[in-house]
Amino acid sequence: MTSTEQRAGRSGARLASRLDHRGSPYLFVSPYFLLFAAFGLFPLGFTLWVSLHRWKLAGDKEFVGIDNYTFLLTNERFGAAVVNTLGMFTLATVPQLLLALLLANALNKRMRGLLYLRMGVLIPMVTSVVAVAIVFSQLFSHRYGMINWAVELFGGEKIDWTASKLTSWTAIATMVDWRWTGYNAIIFLAAMQAIPRDLYEAAAIDGASPRRQFWQITVPQLKPVIIFTVFISTMGGLMLFAEPMMFGNGRLDGGTRGDFQTIGLYIVQAFRERNNFGLAAAAAWLLFVLILVTALVNYLFVNRLRGSK
């Protein structure tokens, strides 16, 4: 082998070594980004393109610019769906996270059967959302529901839970809370167990009560996790679909007056009953923007509370 061939061989080996060290990390993570581009970015861009058209199921399409967005932003029914979504989100998310925090704190104590109790809070999460919606629809039934039976037992009158915004929002928020409180509690519990015990021991020596330890030590240490759960709950709460649909016996209009029609129901109604893919795509994009704005507001609010401590 000549000296020129030896230098070429060493150069090739160095290049292969450099590619192995610098290129292999990108090669390993590339499947995720390729799948994300195929099933995340492309649908997002295609939905934006469809939203700029009057697009029918048969394939007829006409470019209309931002007409679909203009229609939605001035449409009373869509505005009501936005209000319903935000109302149910607020009623469900705030008590859900507070209950999850208190439940996690209780599960972090020493008690008998702790493993079974921790596993028990996850049962609602593995239950089918349709089954949950059917059971709760029966519980909130006007004539024979158990909730109205309890109301009458204490001297009240039966409530038609589907007849007004507040009652229907409350019923649907109850379904959401029952299903997701345990999930958030397990996340909080995992974070609580990572808090150094030295902090609690030092606080106990200083005479801090358990309640003060919870608010002065536990909650501040959990703030990154609280911000995470706020993000996740915001996305889930604003995309409500199955619970309000099952509560309305499969209707997409959210009752006769649209009292509990969410944006998710409006989107499906737009392309199933109105045969207008462009309008549904525009509503989906407005929902996407609403989620971004709400998540940003929640982040700033929680972060401000964090800074005020």
Side-chain angles (χ1 to χ4, degrees), residues 90-225:
T90 305
L91 273 180
T93 303
V94 176
Q96 177 190 138
L97 294 181
L98 288 175
L99 286 172
L101 194 59
L102 297 175
L103 181 60
N105 187 55
L107 292 175
N108 200 29
K109 308 293 185 186
R110 293 182 183 275
M111 62 179 76
R112 289 184 178 178
L114 190 59
L115 177 62
Y116 299 104
L117 291 174
R118 289 176 178 175
M119 292 173 61
V121 299
L122 288 175
I123 291 177
M125 195 186 71
V126 299
T127 307
S128 165
V129 63
V130 176
V132 173
I134 290 174
V135 170
F136 274 83
S137 297
Q138 296 301 314
L139 289 176
F140 285 99
S141 172
H142 182 209
R143 288 189 176 180
Y144 307 111
M146 185 178 291
I147 305 298
N148 274 342
W149 171 80
V151 170
E152 286 188 311
L153 189 66
F154 288 97
E157 296 182 357
K158 286 184 177 179
I159 301 172
D160 187 356
W161 296 93
T162 61
S164 71
K165 286 185 180 293
L166 184 60
T167 54
S168 57
W169 293 358
T170 303
I172 294 170
T174 304
M175 295 184 207
V176 176
D177 287 348
W178 185 84
R179 190 156 189 262
W180 293 107
T181 299
Y183 170 76
N184 288 315
I186 290 298
I187 294 177
F188 288 142
L189 177 62
M192 282 180 184
Q193 293 184 338
I195 299 175
R197 305 304 302 176
D198 298 351
L199 297 176
Y200 294 102
E201 292 170 2
I205 291 172
D206 290 341
S209 64
R211 178 179 299 177
R212 188 172 182 184
Q213 292 177 26
F214 176 75
W215 291 110
Q216 298 294 325
I217 297 176
T218 305
V219 174
Q221 293 289 324
L222 290 180
K223 278 177 179 172
V225 180

